[in-house]
Amino acid sequence: MSPIYLIAVAVIAIALLLFLVMKLKWPAYLALLAVSVLTALAAGIAIQEVIPTVIAGMGTTLGNVALLVGLGAMLGGIIEKTGGAEIIARKAAKVLGKDRLGPALLIASGLVAIPIFFDVAFIILVPIIFSFAKASAHKSPIALGAPVAVFMVFIHNAVPPHPGIVGSTTLLNPDVMGLVTILGILLAIPMGFVIWWLSKRIMARGSWEMSPEIAEKYADAGAANLGSGDREVDGGAGSGRAAITTADPVTGTSTTTAVRERTITTPSAGAVVALILLPIVMIAIGTVGKLIVEPETPVANVLAFIGAPALALLVACVLAMYLLGVRHGWGKQDMSDIMDSALAPAAIVVFVTGAGGVFARVLTESGIGDAVSGMLVDAGVPIIFLAFILALIFKVAQGSGTVATLTAAGLVQSTVAAGGYSELQVALIILAIAMGSVSLSHINDSGFWIATKFIGLSVAGGLKTWTFMCTVVGFLGMAIVSVAWLLASAIA
């Protein structure tokens, strides 16, 4: 089929996908699968090959995504429920001092955002944002909440094990997952400084009034106890001993039994930070080892095993069960329930990511990806900018960063596979897609509403803060990636 026809099919498919998700409110999973089937038929894939293509796309994508997102969700669930997120924020404030509460909270939020999905992580930190803002004598929590929200969503889009970046990496080259993780974290560090600098100047330009309900909550919020490192939390029954009385149903005789109640304590900030950093260090060992050790040797194989992201998260989860849970009074069944419950929201993300992989597979197998990316490449658009532009278009149109990254990765997959790019170049292409998925976030993005509603911003205020800062860091991040691309191309 002609490239023009295939491009027309792609345009119609994307428009239909956006219509189903945005106007008819179809679940993204269902919309992606339905559009994938229709696109495959329209693009000339044989009817008997349509469903096998769907299955292949789902299976290929879920191999990495299900492992990483599932384990990441479990680790995040443990950190959340055991009070780890709160204790990191408090400890950071204690170390940096009361006068540096904002930067302390930003640093803490960055650590919390690595293993925990943005929406959950931000909601966990909202009470801390309120109390820190109160202690810093801010008129509203917006001054601290806005930069924290933007920094966390940047990490969500740019650092595995979050679904969008994991899915796009799986599509383009699963072997660079560790490299993408390290580069994503390195990129997030300067972005944290930029976000804080931007937020201070934005806040200085307006009064930023809160919504009435948030203003009321903020008035009732107490300042954080910044001097406390750990705190003891009553596990629901208190500490010490209690008595349970049971009655015999036949004789009516009552028996009183003394039982020891459990006290649940909060883990130390050091333990929480160590467990967050552990998988990062393991991945770094594998990635650096690949560069300095001869391939296919026993040492290289051991380093690759240690640095596999799935193993790194598995080890962190197993250790977290004991170090953050059992050791601090949580029962074995409690920890099992916490980890199982963390999989429920993750399952939705996994299935949507898998469906995005199906759409990407159809785009590749039908030749649509070659046609679209080929047209833009022929027009002189470098692959690094092509990846960024495609992700940006999908982000603006439908809001979901995950869908934007997967669709963009599907469109450039064939071009990347045929381009003979080095692993570093492929990792930079993946980060370019991530930067596109961060930029221009607005009212069709769920993250926009989570950030604005929880800290009391109006829609206009959200556009002036969240949208503006997301766009600046997305484009600035893309500029940094572009410079790295030039250096990588010179080396290659």
Side-chain angles (χ1 to χ4, degrees), residues 64-131:
N64 269 299
V65 172
L67 273 173
L68 298 185
V69 173
L71 290 169
M74 283 184 163
L75 178 59
I78 295 172
I79 292 172
E80 172 197 353
K81 298 298 184 184
T82 58
E86 179 180 350
I87 203 65
I88 288 178
R90 291 178 181 274
K91 189 67 174 180
K94 181 181 178 182
V95 171
L96 294 178
K98 188 174 180 180
D99 294 335
R100 299 185 181 89
L101 288 178
L105 187 58
L106 197 70
I107 293 169
S109 69
L111 289 172
V112 171
I114 292 174
I116 307 179
F117 292 172
F118 164 73
D119 51 353
V120 175
F122 183 70
I123 292 169
I124 292 169
L125 288 183
V126 165
I128 310 302
I129 292 170
F130 276 47
S131 58

Side-chain angles (χ1 to χ4, degrees), residues 170-194:
T170 300
L171 290 172
L172 298 184
N173 186 351
D175 293 336
V176 302
M177 192 76 72
L179 185 57
V180 169
T181 302
I182 294 172
L183 292 177
I185 292 172
L186 291 176
L187 186 58
I189 294 171
M191 290 303 105
F193 287 100
V194 171

Side-chain angles (χ1 to χ4, degrees), residues 259-464:
V259 295
R260 184 173 181 80
E261 297 179 352
R262 190 171 70 243
T263 298
I264 296 176
T265 58
T266 303
S268 69
V272 179
V273 172
L275 284 167
I276 293 174
L277 294 180
L278 175 62
I280 298 171
V281 171
M282 290 179 65
I283 291 169
I285 290 172
T287 303
V288 174
K290 187 191 302 184
L291 300 175
I292 62 177
V293 177
E294 284 294 323
E296 303 302 327
T297 61
V299 174
N301 292 336
V302 170
L303 290 175
F305 175 72
I306 293 173
L311 177 69
L313 284 170
L314 177 61
V315 171
C317 280
V318 172
L319 289 176
M321 279 195 297
Y322 173 73
L323 294 177
L324 304 187
V326 174
R327 186 180 177 188
H328 290 275
W330 293 85
K332 298 180 182 65
Q333 186 60 49
D334 295 329
M335 296 310 300
S336 178
D337 292 342
I338 287 172
M339 298 175 80
D340 284 344
S341 65
L343 289 178
I348 298 173
V349 175
V350 167
F351 278 111
V352 171
T353 306
V358 171
F359 190 46
R361 181 66 174 245
V362 169
L363 293 173
T364 302
E365 293 295 323
S366 64
I368 290 175
D370 285 333
V372 173
S373 58
M375 178 188 70
L376 292 173
V377 170
D378 291 342
V381 180
I383 183 65
I384 193 77
F385 293 113
L386 172 62
F388 173 76
I389 291 168
L390 289 172
L392 179 62
I393 290 171
F394 291 120
K395 175 66 175 183
V396 172
Q398 51 77 49
S400 169
T402 300
V403 173
T405 53
L406 291 169
T407 307
L411 287 170
V412 301
Q413 187 177 27
S414 300
T415 303
V416 171
Y421 298 109
S422 67
E423 288 192 347
L424 177 57
Q425 287 176 311
V426 174
L428 292 172
I429 292 170
I430 292 165
L431 285 175
I433 292 174
M435 295 305 98
S437 72
V438 171
S439 305
L440 291 173
S441 170
H442 60 98
I443 59 175
N444 64 353
D445 183 357
S446 62
F448 176 92
W449 296 108
I450 289 171
T452 56
K453 292 300 182 184
F454 275 92
I455 60 176
L457 276 168
S458 64
V459 173
L463 293 173
K464 292 176 183 178

